[in-house]
Amino acid sequence: MNPNTEQLLTDLTDAFNPFHPLPAGDPQYVDCQEVRGDDNITLDLGRNIQRSKQMTYQLYAGHRGAGKSTELLRLEDHLKKQGYFVVYFAADEQDINPEDTEYTDILLACTRHFLEAIKDADPKPLRDWMESRWNDLKDLALSEVSFETLSLEMQISQFAKLTANVRNEPSLRQKIREKVNPYTLTLIDALNEFIVNAKNKLPTKYSKLVVIADNLDRIVPFSKDPGGRSNLDEIFLDRSEQLKALKCHVVYTVPISMVHSNRAADLSNNYSNPPQVLPMIMVRKPSGEVHPPGLAKMKELIEKRVKQVDPHLSLETDFFDTAETLEGLCLMSGGHVRNLMLMMQEAIKKTDNLPITAKAAKRAITNLRDVYRKTAGHNEWSILAQVSLSRRILNDEQHRNLLFSRCILEYRYLDEEEEIQSWYDVHPLIKGIPEFKEAVAILQ
């Protein structure tokens, strides 16, 4: 292979990184508001913050990989321009394990990131809290030395060590919680004392404070007892008063399955506003017909990344062999951005020389389809078949689990009276699976 061609394909593969949210102002960003049911995070969440005299505590949901992090980074940038100091963090990167998360983990994560982001604020309240708990915590592989002998920087860094062990050390995770849980209220008091002081120590252009805790939507839902309360109930409802106790504006991401549970009304009542949901890009209408504006947005997502690598590449002649190959990938993504990126990377991997052929695109589709075939349980094909025919979901655990796993996708649009309408469909990749086709045949 020509070295120049190999480098081009490598650069293109990197351009379609499915796990890299775009920073605010990135030229690759595509505004999809009109094909997401008029979703606009700077209006939906930002104005709630800007126009409230009280602290706001908001929830943001959507399918994993739909683009929430990119939108939250846009919200961060927007709020900064309005004079807000924003502490943004992706909780699963360093602080929590999505397979096993409790409220205490989130509180420790918030504490750690406040300390790291606002270095001019007086950390004494939090240092004092850590010192008061030191005899219990130092035995959990944190340190063997006395707290007083640690440098100021090392004293503060103990919160980061705590969250690192909560995330990475299953043998220590529950022990840390048992030591911290009885004292969460005193930790909140110490953190709020720090926050009050921090508001007076912010850089000159900032006067207010916001924290955005991203990727909490990746917390895997489960019930400890069959039919009982879920881990999400315990975090976002049982602990809602603590989640709302911080003396600053807060945005938490929350799993989409919880927004569609029978606890949806409780979420709306317990937080500042009903949870905001980022739906899929609508590439098809509820009737099944192609939705040209949505398809155009998916093409634009691809084109902007291609042009960043080589502005001279034509999408439908140089990069793809035909317009049909391009449109096929866009439609099979179901309007799910990360799935589109994954299929693009796979299609490029199957390519020795541009353009990407229909065969390479088909291989990419087949590979990702196999993931969904393994995701759906044997007793769920009939549920998926029913959703594909009715465009509706039921409020039960099975449908919520299928939403969480992205086997069912949510779409929204504005009707003729400018009201938001929601509808649901099975991921297009699933529709090519034999088990699904058989389930549909039984219902028809």
Side-chain angles (χ1 to χ4, degrees):
M1 183 185 293
N2 186 307
N4 292 334
T5 300
E6 180 66 21
Q7 185 59 53
L8 174 62
L9 292 173
T10 298
D11 292 343
L12 286 168
T13 300
D14 184 64
F16 288 98
N17 185 337
F19 302 106
H20 177 62
L22 298 178
D26 192 295
Q28 297 173 104
Y29 178 75
V30 176
D31 183 357
C32 297
Q33 176 181 346
E34 65 179 279
V35 290
R36 289 193 193 265
D38 203 33
D39 177 87
N40 186 325
I41 194 167
T42 60
L43 297 181
D44 298 337
L45 297 182
R47 281 187 179 173
N48 288 338
I49 292 172
Q50 293 171 246
R51 295 180 177 180
S52 175
K53 294 182 179 180
Q54 310 299 323
M55 295 299 105
T56 60
Y57 308 97
Q58 301 183 85
L59 302 179
Y60 190 51
H63 295 282
R64 288 171 297 158
K68 290 186 303 302
S69 294
T70 292
E71 294 302 311
L72 286 170
L73 291 174
R74 287 183 62 236
L75 175 64
E76 176 190 19
D77 182 67
H78 170 77
L79 290 172
K80 283 182 175 179
K81 291 175 180 176
Q82 306 303 316
Y84 291 82
F85 188 93
V86 182
V87 179
Y88 168 93
F89 66 95
D92 65 330
E93 291 183 357
Q94 297 174 302
D95 306 296
I96 70 166
N97 183 320
E99 299 285 339
D100 179 13
T101 302
E102 293 185 8
Y103 162 75
T104 303
D105 312 348
I106 299 171
L107 176 59
L108 288 171
C110 289
T111 303
R112 169 259 177 98
H113 286 281
F114 271 117
L115 279 167
E116 292 183 356
I118 314 175
K119 296 187 180 300
D120 289 338
D122 185 1
K124 186 178 185 302
L126 293 169
R127 284 173 43 224
D128 289 348
W129 184 91
M130 180 62 75
E131 184 175 12
S132 70
R133 306 266 63 79
W134 189 246
N135 287 336
D136 290 334
L137 296 174
K138 71 177 182 180
D139 297 331
L140 299 177
L142 295 175
S143 178
E144 295 300 323
V145 302
S146 66
F147 192 80
E148 295 83 356
T149 62
L150 294 173
S151 67
L152 175 61
E153 184 177 350
M154 286 299 296
Q155 289 176 353
I156 294 172
S157 72
Q158 299 312 307
F159 282 98
K161 289 186 177 182
L162 272 179
T163 62
N165 283 336
V166 165
R167 183 183 186 277
N168 299 318
E169 301 294 337
S171 61
L172 295 178
R173 188 177 301 142
Q174 192 56 38
K175 293 179 181 178
I176 291 173
R177 291 169 181 161
E178 289 172 357
K179 298 296 185 183
V180 174
N181 261 331
Y183 304 98
T184 53
L185 293 181
T186 61
L187 177 54
I188 290 171
D189 289 341
L191 180 54
N192 277 332
E193 190 175 342
F194 173 85
I195 289 172
V196 170
N197 179 266
K199 289 179 179 179
N200 297 320
K201 299 293 180 64
L202 296 175
T204 305
K205 62 180 179 179
Y206 301 114
S207 60
K208 301 173 184 177
L209 190 58
V210 179
V211 62
I212 299 176
D214 195 5
N215 291 357
L216 299 178
D217 59 299
R218 299 182 183 182
I219 298 173
V220 178
F222 65 87
S223 296
K224 296 180 178 179
D225 301 305
R229 294 178 63 75
S230 73
N231 59 324
L232 301 182
D233 291 338
E234 293 178 356
I235 295 170
F236 293 102
L237 291 176
D238 296 351
R239 292 284 198 157
S240 63
E241 291 307 310
Q242 286 96 323
L243 286 171
K244 297 187 301 177
L246 301 186
K247 293 184 177 180
C248 63
H249 296 282
V250 184
V251 176
Y252 299 106
T253 50
V254 61
I256 190 171
S257 54
M258 191 174 193
V259 176
H260 287 279
S261 73
N262 57 5
R263 310 313 302 273
D266 294 327
L267 287 176
S268 296
N269 292 335
N270 285 18
Y271 292 87
S272 304
N273 298 277
Q276 299 293 326
V277 177
L278 180 70
M280 293 293 97
I281 295 171
M282 198 171 84
V283 292
R284 290 189 183 274
K285 302 175 184 177
S287 64
E289 299 174 76
V290 172
H291 184 53
L295 179 59
K297 290 294 183 183
M298 299 304 282
K299 291 180 181 179
E300 188 179 352
L301 283 167
I302 295 175
E303 184 171 37
K304 286 199 170 185
R305 282 164 172 75
V306 171
K307 294 295 187 182
Q308 279 291 105
V309 175
D310 187 341
H312 302 295
L313 284 177
S314 170
L315 202 60
E316 296 186 2
T317 55
D318 300 327
F319 191 63
F320 289 100
D321 58 355
T322 65
E324 288 73 23
T325 300
L326 165 61
E327 291 182 5
L329 281 171
C330 291
L331 292 173
M332 291 308 296
S333 73
H336 188 282
V337 176
R338 182 175 295 164
N339 279 179
L340 180 65
M341 300 296 113
L342 286 168
M343 288 191 291
M344 285 302 308
Q345 283 195 329
E346 188 65 24
I348 294 169
K349 188 170 74 175
K350 303 297 183 186
T351 299
D352 291 325
N353 292 285
L354 293 176
I356 294 171
T357 64
K359 181 180 179 181
K362 188 67 175 178
R363 288 287 300 277
I365 291 169
T366 302
N367 283 359
L368 192 53
R369 175 179 287 138
D370 193 53
V371 173
Y372 279 92
R373 182 183 64 79
K374 295 171 182 176
T375 300
H378 73 278
N379 62 334
E380 294 176 325
W381 297 113
S382 60
I383 297 172
L384 292 169
Q386 185 61 52
V387 171
S388 73
L389 296 175
S390 68
R391 303 291 198 258
R392 298 175 181 174
I393 60 172
L394 299 181
N395 188 0
D396 62 27
E397 187 172 357
Q398 287 180 302
H399 284 80
R400 289 192 289 275
N401 289 340
L402 290 167
L403 275 167
F404 185 80
S405 64
R406 291 156 293 177
C407 291
I408 296 175
L409 303 177
E410 178 178 358
Y411 300 90
R412 294 184 179 186
Y413 66 94
L414 294 180
D415 63 17
E416 294 178 355
E417 297 180 358
E418 294 294 304
E419 291 191 11
I420 295 177
Q421 300 295 336
S422 298
W423 63 283
Y424 305 85
D425 201 1
V426 171
H427 197 298
L429 290 168
I430 290 176
K431 295 184 179 182
I433 298 173
E435 290 91 336
F436 173 80
K437 292 179 179 179
E438 292 167 5
V440 170
I442 292 173
L443 293 177
Q444 289 179 330

